[in-house]
Amino acid sequence: MISANGIFQIAFFFIVSILVAYPLGLYMERVYNEKAFGLEKVFGGFERFIYRITGVNPEEEMDWKKYAMSMLIFNGVGMLILYIFLRWQNFLPLNPQDIKAASPDLAFNTASSFVTNTNWQSYSHPMSFFTQMFGLTVQNFLSAATGMSIAIAVIRGIVRKESKTIGNFWVDITRSTLYILLPLAFVVSIILVSQGVIQNFAPYVKVYLIDPIIHSSQIITKQVIPMGPVASEESIKMLGTNGGGFFGTNSAFPFENPTPFSNFIEILSIIIIPLGLTFTFGKMVGKMKEGIAILLAMLIILIPMTFVVTWYEGTTNPAITAMGVYGGNMEGKEVNLGIAGSALFTSVTTGTSCGAVNSMLDSYTPMGGFVPLFLMMLGEVAPGGVGSGLYGILAFVIIAVFIAGLMVGRTPEYLGKKIDAFEMKMVTLSILIMPLLVLISTAVALMIPAGKGAILNPGPQGFEEVLYAFTSMANNNGSAFAGLSANNPFYNILGGFVMLIGRFGTAIPMLAFAGSLAKKSYVSRGIGTLPTDDLTFSIWLVFVILIIGALNFFAAWSLGPFVQQLMMK
């Protein structure tokens, strides 16, 4: 069941999210269209300095191929630098704990993870302060800015007519970082520090335990409390829908998320840019209703799923109830955050591509754990990651328009542009890459000893842990079910490639789609043109997304969460 307090928390959160996302979306439109927005007076000189030292001509536009190549080169160099940091961190400064270098397979997996905005963390130990700050945190900014840049390029492809170009990648990523992500991260960092999130360079602290712990026949009397620049990383990992965490337990750790208010701010940070980009889209295409229709489709999926996970976590396992214990499933959750605060965090972090967690998903009820898996398997378009959510749902918009066109025997069109065979091939490719990655990778892992040997739980739970891991990596989410020893060469190497293909294999077809549309002229709106700016289209879009998700994954759901729910009863 859901308490009145839980209903209030969820409703209040989504109302505040929309109220914050709307002005942010309008601000982002001004940033990308190079209109006056205020901060250019503060950072304009620094922006021009960046272009000067990098040799970028901000007036030069790119076609989709050059845009995509620039994006790949930029992220490839970033991945190489991060790999070097991870392999050499024992020789680099800001390492007071003398943390050793990562193994080659772990360094590859981690570099792939943070460059692709996934933040899947196979490692359990922390990285050095240098690696955290100059490697992981920097990539949190740049991977998020990459997704936002691709989204804006796709919008330009829809808006422009008879144009061979869709913008300049170097300008887009600079402006995304300088004028949007950095100011927001600074504000959120200050708020988090005020709530008790730590921000320092102190060595780890050793304290004596009040009650010694007996572990593996050893009596433990001391505990090591980690320190570090946490707030600065926490803010961008949320705002950039990166996920991951400074500590192994992520936002369940009190140094990352100490209070209910910090919990609210962190969830809000995750969702405001993905929601705000729908308003940016509406403003850039010249019809705000188009962006609102997409926003409604996102919320029609996300809000009910939030109530579903809250409902199931509010019920108690029958085996526990038989022992006379009631009050919901609090296993794996922080008492100060409660069921509603944990369930809301879970739905938002997997509805986007964030992947941060404030509770342990492996401890959720079968259907409560199904919700984050379900939201990811839809392609994380409700509302999806920063940028990636918008261009991801636009692929589904084109599919929805195409199917509607077939019903009336008319060539599909969207916002005055006819959708031809090439565009359909590109959006179809973009949508199908993720389920192919998930299903093939899961099947391989379950067939070979290296994959099966890492599963710690038998039966459907173990199957779901593997399925969830590859779903998380292919969707660039980063959350995990636990119960899987993923830090081994097999999962590190296969997972690294899954993350890279899931990110760039989805983005490149959408850039090709944008480049093709940009060359076209507008066509007149006719009597058979499907309206795409009303509630009816939002519902139709949701129906298409759900049908495609079910066709791809229903069999997998049946082998995991569905059968677990039946077994629990």
Side-chain angles (χ1 to χ4, degrees):
M1 60 178 293
I2 307 176
S3 66
N5 178 269
I7 294 173
F8 172 78
Q9 285 187 53
I10 295 169
F12 179 74
F13 169 78
F14 281 107
I15 291 171
V16 173
S17 297
I18 295 171
L19 291 177
V20 174
Y22 178 72
L24 176 60
L26 300 185
Y27 168 80
M28 289 191 289
E29 182 270 335
R30 300 190 73 85
V31 169
Y32 291 117
N33 278 338
E34 301 187 26
K35 300 177 183 177
F37 53 87
L39 284 182
E40 76 277 9
K41 298 178 182 178
V42 180
F43 297 119
F46 186 58
E47 180 188 7
R48 291 187 291 273
F49 174 73
I50 292 173
Y51 298 148
R52 190 160 54 249
I53 63 172
T54 56
V56 171
N57 178 7
E59 304 300 324
E60 180 186 354
E61 292 257 326
M62 301 176 175
D63 61 17
W64 78 265
K65 293 179 182 177
K66 189 173 182 180
Y67 198 102
M69 185 58 65
S70 299
M71 181 265 295
L72 290 174
I73 291 172
F74 178 77
N75 285 274
V77 171
M79 181 176 171
L80 177 61
I81 292 172
L82 181 53
Y83 179 85
I84 292 172
F85 285 174
L86 291 162
R87 294 287 292 136
W88 291 358
Q89 67 177 347
N90 52 320
F91 300 114
L92 296 172
L94 295 175
N95 188 8
Q97 296 305 119
D98 193 26
I99 294 172
K100 305 303 180 185
S103 64
D105 58 286
L106 178 58
F108 169 72
N109 183 275
T110 305
S112 300
S113 175
F114 280 80
V115 166
T116 58
N117 200 241
T118 309
N119 288 35
W120 172 269
Q121 293 172 291
S122 287
Y123 56 89
S124 58
H125 61 81
M127 297 294 178
S128 71
F129 293 165
F130 183 91
T131 303
Q132 292 276 10
M133 293 176 61
F134 297 100
L136 307 186
T137 302
V138 167
Q139 282 304 322
N140 282 347
F141 279 98
L142 299 181
S143 63
T146 296
M148 296 166 71
S149 301
I150 295 169
I152 296 303
V154 171
I155 297 173
R156 291 196 191 104
I158 295 172
V159 172
R160 293 181 177 182
K161 63 177 182 178
E162 299 178 1
S163 173
K164 295 181 179 179
T165 61
I166 55 174
N168 185 314
F169 172 76
W170 307 110
V171 173
D172 289 340
I173 198 166
T174 300
R175 296 179 76 83
S176 298
T177 305
L178 193 60
Y179 296 122
I180 299 171
L181 294 174
L182 273 171
L184 285 174
F186 178 79
V187 172
V188 173
S189 297
I190 296 298
I191 296 174
L192 293 180
V193 168
S194 75
Q195 293 300 297
V197 178
I198 64 172
Q199 179 75 17
N200 59 51
F201 295 99
Y204 290 9
V205 178
K206 293 182 179 180
V207 297
Y208 285 94
L209 300 179
I210 297 175
D211 295 317
I213 300 172
I214 299 177
H215 180 69
S216 300
S217 301
Q218 293 182 337
I219 299 177
I220 300 174
T221 58
K222 292 182 181 180
Q223 182 176 357
V224 177
I225 300 178
M227 298 282 112
V230 177
S232 57
E233 182 175 332
E234 191 74 12
S235 60
I236 187 57
K237 92 171 190 185
M238 299 301 186
L239 287 163
T241 62
N242 295 280
F246 200 95
F247 306 106
T249 51
N250 214 281
S251 289
F253 197 85
F255 286 0
E256 280 196 28
N257 187 14
T259 68
F261 183 67
S262 70
N263 191 60
F264 180 86
I265 292 298
E266 289 184 13
I267 309 174
L268 185 67
S269 300
I270 295 170
I271 205 171
I272 54 173
I273 295 179
L275 293 185
L277 282 170
T278 63
F279 296 111
T280 304
F281 174 78
K283 188 72 172 177
M284 289 183 73
V285 301
K287 196 172 184 181
M288 187 58 74
K289 285 185 177 181
E290 296 286 350
I292 293 174
I294 292 175
L295 173 67
L296 287 176
M298 293 173 171
L299 296 179
I300 288 171
I301 296 172
L302 181 61
I303 293 176
M305 286 297 101
T306 302
F307 281 105
V308 168
V309 68
T310 308
W311 172 272
Y312 276 102
E313 293 309 297
T315 61
T316 307
N317 188 311
I320 304 298
T321 305
M323 300 167 58
V325 179
Y326 301 89
N329 177 32
M330 278 298 295
E331 181 186 344
K333 300 177 181 65
E334 293 298 298
V335 175
N336 68 322
L337 303 179
I339 288 174
S342 301
L344 177 61
F345 198 115
T346 296
S347 62
V348 170
T349 199
T350 49
T352 63
S353 66
C354 184
V357 293
N358 70 352
S359 55
M360 295 301 103
L361 303 184
D362 204 38
S363 297
Y364 275 42
T365 60
M367 294 308 294
F370 167 70
V371 168
L373 184 65
F374 173 79
L375 287 170
M376 288 192 296
M377 285 179 166
L378 296 182
E380 288 189 308
V381 294
V386 287
S388 60
L390 181 63
Y391 66 74
I393 201 170
L394 283 173
F396 282 103
V397 167
I398 300 305
I399 295 292
V401 169
F402 175 75
I403 295 173
L406 290 178
M407 291 179 178
V408 297
R410 180 183 173 89
T411 302
E413 59 186 74
Y414 182 59
L415 294 177
K417 299 283 187 72
K418 284 192 176 294
I419 308 299
D420 294 319
F422 179 79
E423 291 84 37
M424 287 306 305
K425 290 176 183 176
M426 291 301 101
V427 298
T428 303
L429 178 62
S430 181
I431 289 172
L432 290 181
I433 280 176
M434 181 273 292
L436 286 172
L437 282 174
V438 172
L439 296 175
I440 293 173
S441 300
T442 302
V444 170
L446 295 174
M447 286 191 299
I448 66 174
K452 292 187 292 184
I455 302 173
L456 303 181
N457 296 309
Q461 180 73 6
F463 166 77
E464 190 173 358
E465 287 165 356
V466 176
L467 178 68
Y468 192 101
F470 286 111
T471 301
S472 177
M473 288 185 274
N475 281 284
N476 303 127
N477 184 274
S479 62
F481 247 31
L484 183 71
S485 299
N487 187 9
N488 61 56
F490 170 75
Y491 280 101
N492 282 339
I493 295 172
L494 178 59
F497 283 112
V498 166
M499 288 184 280
L500 291 170
I501 298 170
R503 174 70 159 184
F504 302 114
T506 301
I508 293 173
M510 290 306 296
L511 288 174
F513 162 81
S516 179
L517 276 194
K519 297 176 183 178
K520 296 187 175 184
S521 300
Y522 288 116
V523 295
S524 300
R525 186 182 181 91
I527 192 171
T529 301
L530 175 69
T532 56
D533 60 354
D534 55 16
L535 179 60
T536 301
F537 181 75
S538 299
I539 295 172
W540 169 240
L541 176 57
V542 169
F543 178 77
V544 170
I545 293 171
L546 295 179
I547 288 295
I548 292 175
L551 289 173
N552 286 326
F553 292 112
F554 186 82
W557 299 338
S558 301
L559 293 172
F562 291 176
V563 72
Q564 275 195 291
Q565 181 68 20
L566 294 173
M567 291 170 63
M568 188 179 77
K569 295 296 184 182

